[in-house]
Amino acid sequence: RRSDKRKQSALEGAHAVVLFCEGRGAKEGTGLRQVVALRREIWTRTAGNNGSDGMAFVLLVNKAQMTTSSLDASMLDKWCKDKGMTGWMEVCAKAGGADLKEALKYVASTSVQVHETRNGKGNGELSSKIA
C-alpha cells in the first residue's frame, strides 16, 4: 500500500482537485459515473485530514474527439451541483488553446478561494491577483 500513502500525501493540503472526462463519456454518462467514483474515493481518503468539505472538485470535459454538437450545459450544471462538484468547463485538450488556459485560471481562482475560506481570509486579496 505504498502507492496509497503516496496518493494520500499528494492530496494533503490540496485546495482543488481537477477531474478530467472525455466529452463522449460525459454525453453518454459512462465518464461521469467514473468521475463520481473517483471523487468519492478522493473525498473518502481526505475526509478529516485536510477539510475535504472545503476542497474544490472541478470537472474538465475534453471536447477534442466530439464530432457533433456540444454538451448540454444545463444538464452538466445540475449534475455538478448534485454530485458535489464545484463546477465544470468544456476544453479542447488537443489544441491547448485559450479554453484550456481559461480552465486553468478557473481552477487557480477556485483553489485560492478555498484557501482563503479555510484560513479565514475571505477578503479576496489573493483572488484578485489571478488575471
Side-chain angles (χ1 to χ4, degrees):
R1 296 278 176 184
R2 203 164 124 185
S3 65
D4 284 350
K5 287 182 182 179
R6 258 191 218 143
K7 289 176 191 175
Q8 181 75 29
S9 66
L11 292 170
E12 286 178 12
H15 300 298
V17 174
V18 177
L19 301 172
F20 195 80
C21 178
E22 291 297 329
R24 287 187 306 214
K27 240 180 163 171
E28 296 164 3
T30 54
L32 295 179
R33 284 191 293 277
Q34 292 171 342
V35 167
V36 169
L38 186 55
R39 186 211 180 279
R40 188 177 306 121
E41 179 184 348
I42 291 168
W43 189 88
T44 301
R45 288 176 184 266
T46 59
N49 294 330
N50 64 350
S52 57
D53 284 340
M55 183 182 290
F57 287 88
V58 179
L59 174 65
L60 297 184
V61 181
N62 183 16
K63 62 183 180 182
Q65 296 180 352
M66 293 179 65
T67 55
T68 57
S69 67
S70 160
L71 298 164
D72 181 349
S74 61
M75 183 277 298
L76 275 169
D77 288 340
K78 182 180 179 337
W79 182 88
C80 283
K81 185 177 179 183
D82 292 348
K83 304 301 181 190
M85 301 291 289
T86 306
W88 70 279
M89 287 192 77
E90 191 174 7
V91 298
C92 184
K94 190 178 199 178
D99 59 346
L100 194 53
K101 289 177 186 174
E102 286 303 312
L104 294 175
K105 283 183 187 178
Y106 173 70
V107 170
S109 174
T110 303
S111 297
V112 168
Q113 289 172 7
V114 169
H115 171 76
E116 288 176 338
T117 301
R118 278 192 197 165
N119 295 300
K121 299 177 182 178
N123 60 5
E125 186 179 312
L126 289 174
S127 299
S128 63
K129 295 181 180 180
I130 299 174

